[in-house]
Amino acid sequence: MKNIVILISGRGSNMEAIVNACQREGWPARIAAVISNKASASGLQFAASHGIATAVVDHKSFDSREAFDAELARVIDGYAPDVVVLAGFMRILTEGFVRHFEGKMLNIHPSLLPSFPGLHTHQRAIEAGCKLAGATVHFVTPELDHGPIVTQAAVPVLSGDTEDDLAARVLKQEHVIYPQAVRWLVEGHLSIEQGIVRHAQGASQVRWGE
């Protein structure tokens, strides 16, 4: 039985999707803990209501990013994680932290990477005249939003879309592909060869949404 630790900063809707999929589909894993850098994160209540351990490591209590990351890593390690999942965790992580969990930490980014790393991805896609937008699940590396890609979902950018319209359409697909990617990692279906993710059973790596 694998242990999954999920990091959130707010509601954690992707965390909810992963928790629900793990329980519904009977993964050979359990959500060992949900950890936030904010005590006010509403996702902690959802986790607790599902019998999942929760913890808070407040980044404001530390004098440096390195000190915060060291304590966060210590707390995560207390749950013996096999997989660490970033689900709306709004912190830029230090290289030491990323290296500590290298190969078992996933993130989801709301764009079709390598396009539009960073913030305001939906508005940037609209302003660039993109016909497709989407989300990307990737392994976390020290370079922000540039890790090996596990899977992606693409959705159309429609005429008249606002940033919120596009964000909602993309988020719906995030809730599909992120649980799938975590399950692949839990079940040992993923490997990284020369920076490219290989899928052991030839699973589809792209989802076309509406």
Side-chain angles (χ1 to χ4, degrees), residues 136-194:
T136 303
V137 180
H138 64 94
F139 281 96
V140 179
T141 61
E143 187 175 2
L144 182 67
D145 298 331
H146 278 80
I149 293 171
V150 176
T151 189
Q152 294 178 301
V155 302
V157 181
L158 304 179
S159 176
D161 264 350
T162 66
E163 182 178 7
D164 288 343
D165 293 335
L166 184 55
R169 194 176 305 119
V170 171
L171 185 62
K172 183 178 178 180
Q173 298 304 315
E174 291 181 34
H175 294 165
V176 176
I177 66 170
Y178 209 4
Q180 180 63 80
V182 175
R183 182 173 183 177
W184 283 334
L185 184 55
V186 162
E187 295 182 342
H189 297 323
L190 303 178
S191 61
I192 303 175
E193 300 174 11
Q194 297 181 330

Side-chain angles (χ1 to χ4, degrees), residues 11-189:
R11 174 190 165 195
S13 67
N14 273 307
M15 175 271 294
E16 293 182 13
I18 291 165
V19 168
N20 290 333
C22 182
Q23 295 177 347
R24 181 179 65 250
E25 298 170 6
W27 300 358
R30 69 185 187 98
I31 311 301
V34 172
I35 301 172
S36 180
N37 62 313
K38 296 181 178 181
S40 61
S42 60
L44 294 172
Q45 298 175 3
F46 173 88
S49 71
H50 283 70
I52 299 168
T54 63
V56 175
V57 182
D58 187 347
H59 64 277
K60 294 180 181 179
S61 299
F62 298 86
D63 293 332
S64 69
R65 193 182 301 276
E66 289 77 13
F68 167 72
D69 279 8
E71 176 61 13
L72 180 62
R74 186 193 69 79
V75 173
I76 294 170
D77 283 342
Y79 297 99
D82 298 287
V83 176
V84 177
V85 178
L86 308 183
F89 188 64
M90 304 303 291
R91 296 290 299 171
I92 296 176
L93 299 167
T94 59
E95 180 173 357
F97 181 94
V98 172
R99 296 296 186 197
H100 183 68
F101 297 108
E102 192 166 15
K104 61 181 181 182
M105 184 159 57
L106 296 176
N107 182 48
I108 191 162
H109 182 73
S111 79
L112 295 174
L113 293 175
S115 297
F116 309 122
L119 300 176
H120 309 298
T121 56
H122 306 300
Q123 187 61 38
R124 289 158 65 195
I126 292 170
E127 291 175 353
C130 293
K131 307 310 177 188
L132 290 173
T136 303
V137 180
H138 64 94
F139 281 96
V140 179
T141 61
E143 187 175 2
L144 182 67
D145 298 331
H146 278 80
I149 293 171
V150 176
T151 189
Q152 294 178 301
V155 302
V157 181
L158 304 179
S159 176
D161 264 350
T162 66
E163 182 178 7
D164 288 343
D165 293 335
L166 184 55
R169 194 176 305 119
V170 171
L171 185 62
K172 183 178 178 180
Q173 298 304 315
E174 291 181 34
H175 294 165
V176 176
I177 66 170
Y178 209 4
Q180 180 63 80
V182 175
R183 182 173 183 177
W184 283 334
L185 184 55
V186 162
E187 295 182 342
H189 297 323

